Amino acid sequence: MASINTSQLVQWLDNYLQASRFKDYCPNGLQVEGTPTVQHIVTGVTASQALLEAAVERGADTVLVHHGWFWKNEDARIRGMKKKRLAFALEHDLNLIAYHLPLDAHPEVGNNTQLALQLGLQQDKDEDGQPIGIGPSGLIQLGYLETPNTLENVAKKLCQQLQRSPLVVGNPQQIIQRVAWCTGGAQGFMTEAIDAGVDLYISGEASEPNYHYALESDTAYIGAGHHATERYGVKALGDKVAAQFGVKVEFIDINNPI
Ligand SMILES: [Zn+2]
């Protein structure tokens, strides 16, 4: 069975995802040190207790996620759920590796690019072929539908691809061509999408103001699910790691309706 040194893997990931470029809300890279050799990786959106248990059940030694632990502003004390998760990881010698913003933004395996592939969205690109983003860390992607379609039909396609019915605000018959999107909890950036003059802004979650903004501007809003919009980045990253190092990698989708 193929294997790789844990520190070599993390170094490769840091470099591939350009992790040092980002000012993030959590540490990126190796968050909890486990076994020094990696043979079997489980990938998933969030390092929840359920994902850790599923990983151990499958005999994995490493968990690679988009949402890891140790978030800025969280209570630093190790107690309750946090104690349980950490004790479980240590007891099973699991490596926990997490990449947050670097895995949203990456031009190839990033959540935003991968969501575009799901929906058939063309990304605006600069002269170097890199996707053009606006807003904080350039995380909001701009692009377009090659064939303009109604909001209703765009929502239908989203529903089919993501296997989830999205929250849609706007006139169902509105023609959508220019689109901005940012996976996960980026509903707060909607005004930047409106300023960019797009017909539709897509993110994962929704907040109360999104409703009014969509009705009072020419920009419709779709909340397609935080989890649902962020499944594809870590999955693509896992495929990349498997191809690069030949280690076993499996994606586990722990369902989350939010
Ligand atoms: Zn997220």
Side-chain angles (χ1 to χ4, degrees), residues 78-108:
I78 310 288
R79 60 195 188 99
M81 290 179 291
K82 195 169 173 180
K83 179 212 159 181
K84 201 173 156 201
R85 286 177 173 188
L86 188 56
F88 188 86
L90 294 174
E91 182 193 336
H92 292 91
D93 218 8
L94 281 176
N95 291 300
L96 173 60
I97 305 174
Y99 290 93
H100 183 235
L101 296 183
L103 188 52
D104 286 321
H106 193 272
E108 190 183 346

Coordinates of all heavy atoms in Angstrom, one line a residue, residues 78-108:
I78 N -10.8 23.2 26.4 CA -11.0 21.9 25.9 C -12.0 21.2 26.8 O -11.7 20.6 27.8 CB -9.7 21.0 25.9 CG1 -8.6 21.8 25.3 CG2 -9.9 19.7 25.2 CD1 -8.6 22.0 23.8
R79 N -13.3 21.3 26.4 CA -14.3 20.7 27.2 C -15.5 20.3 26.3 O -15.6 20.8 25.2 CB -14.8 21.6 28.3 CG -15.3 22.9 27.8 CD -15.4 23.9 28.9 NE -16.1 25.1 28.4 CZ -17.4 25.3 28.6 NH1 -18.2 24.6 29.4 NH2 -18.0 26.4 28.1
G80 N -16.4 19.5 26.8 CA -17.6 19.2 26.1 C -17.3 18.5 24.7 O -16.5 17.6 24.6
M81 N -18.0 19.0 23.7 CA -17.9 18.4 22.3 C -16.4 18.5 21.9 O -15.9 17.5 21.2 CB -18.7 19.2 21.3 CG -20.2 19.0 21.5 SD -21.1 20.0 20.3 CE -20.8 21.7 20.9
K82 N -15.8 19.6 22.2 CA -14.4 19.7 21.8 C -13.5 18.7 22.4 O -12.6 18.1 21.7 CB -13.9 21.2 22.2 CG -12.7 21.7 21.5 CD -12.6 23.1 21.8 CE -11.3 23.7 21.3 NZ -11.3 25.2 21.6
K83 N -13.7 18.4 23.7 CA -12.9 17.4 24.4 C -13.1 16.1 23.7 O -12.2 15.3 23.5 CB -13.3 17.4 25.9 CG -12.5 16.3 26.6 CD -13.3 15.6 27.7 CE -12.6 14.3 28.0 NZ -13.4 13.6 29.1
K84 N -14.4 15.8 23.4 CA -14.7 14.5 22.9 C -14.1 14.3 21.5 O -13.5 13.2 21.2 CB -16.3 14.4 22.8 CG -16.8 13.0 22.7 CD -18.3 12.9 22.8 CE -18.8 11.6 22.1 NZ -20.1 11.7 21.7
R85 N -14.2 15.3 20.7 CA -13.6 15.2 19.3 C -12.0 15.0 19.4 O -11.5 14.2 18.8 CB -13.8 16.5 18.5 CG -15.3 16.6 18.0 CD -15.4 18.0 17.3 NE -16.7 18.1 16.7 CZ -16.9 19.2 15.9 NH1 -16.0 20.1 15.7 NH2 -18.1 19.3 15.3
L86 N -11.4 15.9 20.2 CA -10.0 15.8 20.3 C -9.5 14.5 20.9 O -8.5 13.9 20.4 CB -9.5 17.0 21.2 CG -8.0 17.3 21.2 CD1 -7.4 17.5 19.8 CD2 -7.7 18.5 22.1
A87 N -10.2 14.1 22.0 CA -9.8 12.8 22.6 C -9.9 11.7 21.6 O -9.0 10.8 21.6 CB -10.7 12.5 23.9
F88 N -10.9 11.7 20.8 CA -11.1 10.6 19.8 C -10.0 10.7 18.8 O -9.5 9.6 18.4 CB -12.5 10.8 19.2 CG -12.9 9.7 18.3 CD1 -13.6 8.6 18.8 CD2 -12.6 9.7 16.9 CE1 -13.9 7.5 18.0 CE2 -13.0 8.7 16.1 CZ -13.6 7.6 16.6
A89 N -9.7 11.8 18.3 CA -8.6 11.9 17.3 C -7.3 11.4 17.9 O -6.5 10.7 17.2 CB -8.5 13.4 16.8
L90 N -7.0 11.9 19.1 CA -5.7 11.5 19.7 C -5.7 10.0 20.0 O -4.7 9.3 19.8 CB -5.4 12.3 21.0 CG -5.2 13.8 20.8 CD1 -5.2 14.5 22.1 CD2 -4.0 14.1 20.0
E91 N -6.8 9.5 20.5 CA -6.8 8.0 20.9 C -6.6 7.2 19.6 O -6.0 6.1 19.7 CB -8.2 7.8 21.4 CG -8.5 6.3 21.9 CD -10.0 6.1 22.1 OE1 -10.7 7.1 22.4 OE2 -10.4 4.9 22.0
H92 N -7.0 7.7 18.5 CA -6.9 6.9 17.2 C -5.7 7.3 16.4 O -5.6 6.9 15.2 CB -8.2 6.9 16.4 CG -9.3 6.1 17.1 ND1 -10.2 6.8 18.0 CD2 -9.6 4.8 17.1 CE1 -11.0 5.9 18.4 NE2 -10.7 4.7 18.0
D93 N -4.9 8.2 16.9 CA -3.7 8.6 16.2 C -4.0 9.2 14.9 O -3.3 9.0 13.9 CB -2.7 7.5 16.1 CG -1.3 7.9 16.3 OD1 -1.1 9.1 16.7 OD2 -0.4 7.1 16.0
L94 N -5.1 9.9 14.8 CA -5.6 10.5 13.5 C -4.8 11.8 13.2 O -4.7 12.7 14.1 CB -7.1 10.8 13.5 CG -8.1 9.7 13.3 CD1 -9.5 10.3 13.5 CD2 -8.0 9.1 12.0
N95 N -4.4 12.0 12.0 CA -4.0 13.4 11.6 C -5.2 14.1 11.2 O -6.1 13.6 10.4 CB -3.1 13.3 10.3 CG -1.7 12.7 10.7 OD1 -1.0 13.2 11.5 ND2 -1.4 11.6 10.0
L96 N -5.4 15.4 11.7 CA -6.4 16.2 11.2 C -5.8 17.3 10.4 O -5.0 18.1 10.9 CB -7.3 16.8 12.3 CG -8.3 17.8 11.9 CD1 -9.3 17.2 10.9 CD2 -9.1 18.4 13.1
I97 N -6.1 17.4 9.1 CA -5.6 18.4 8.2 C -6.7 19.2 7.7 O -7.7 18.6 7.2 CB -4.8 17.8 7.0 CG1 -3.7 16.8 7.6 CG2 -4.2 18.8 6.1 CD1 -3.0 16.0 6.5
A98 N -6.7 20.5 7.8 CA -7.8 21.4 7.3 C -7.3 22.6 6.5 O -6.2 23.2 6.8 CB -8.5 21.9 8.6
Y99 N -8.0 22.9 5.5 CA -7.8 24.1 4.7 C -9.1 24.8 4.5 O -10.0 24.3 3.9 CB -7.1 23.8 3.4 CG -5.7 23.3 3.5 CD1 -5.5 21.9 3.6 CD2 -4.7 24.2 3.6 CE1 -4.2 21.5 3.8 CE2 -3.4 23.7 3.8 CZ -3.1 22.4 3.9 OH -1.9 21.9 4.1
H100 N -9.1 26.1 5.0 CA -10.4 26.8 4.9 C -10.4 27.8 3.7 O -10.7 27.3 2.6 CB -10.6 27.6 6.2 CG -11.9 28.4 6.3 ND1 -11.9 29.7 6.6 CD2 -13.1 28.0 6.0 CE1 -13.2 30.1 6.5 NE2 -13.9 29.1 6.2
L101 N -10.0 29.0 3.8 CA -10.0 29.9 2.7 C -9.2 29.5 1.5 O -9.6 29.6 0.3 CB -9.6 31.4 3.1 CG -10.5 32.1 4.1 CD1 -10.0 33.5 4.4 CD2 -12.0 32.1 3.6
P102 N -8.0 28.9 1.7 CA -7.2 28.4 0.6 C -8.0 27.4 -0.3 O -7.8 27.3 -1.5 CB -6.0 27.7 1.2 CG -5.8 28.4 2.5 CD -7.3 28.7 3.0
L103 N -8.9 26.7 0.4 CA -9.7 25.7 -0.4 C -10.9 26.3 -1.0 O -11.6 25.6 -1.8 CB -10.0 24.5 0.5 CG -10.6 23.2 -0.1 CD1 -9.8 22.8 -1.3 CD2 -10.7 22.1 0.9
D104 N -11.3 27.5 -0.5 CA -12.4 28.1 -1.2 C -11.9 28.7 -2.5 O -12.6 28.7 -3.6 CB -13.0 29.3 -0.4 CG -13.8 28.8 0.8 OD1 -14.6 27.8 0.6 OD2 -13.7 29.4 1.9
A105 N -10.7 29.3 -2.5 CA -10.2 30.2 -3.5 C -9.4 29.5 -4.6 O -9.2 30.0 -5.7 CB -9.3 31.3 -2.9
H106 N -8.9 28.3 -4.4 CA -8.0 27.7 -5.3 C -8.6 27.6 -6.7 O -9.7 27.1 -6.9 CB -7.6 26.3 -4.9 CG -6.4 25.7 -5.6 ND1 -6.5 25.0 -6.8 CD2 -5.1 25.9 -5.4 CE1 -5.3 24.7 -7.2 NE2 -4.4 25.2 -6.4
P107 N -7.8 28.0 -7.8 CA -8.4 28.1 -9.1 C -8.8 26.7 -9.7 O -9.5 26.7 -10.7 CB -7.3 28.7 -10.0 CG -6.0 28.6 -9.1 CD -6.4 28.6 -7.7
E108 N -8.2 25.6 -9.2 CA -8.5 24.3 -9.8 C -9.5 23.5 -8.8 O -10.6 23.2 -9.2 CB -7.2 23.6 -10.0 CG -7.4 22.3 -10.8 CD -6.1 21.5 -11.0 OE1 -5.0 22.1 -10.7 OE2 -6.1 20.4 -11.3

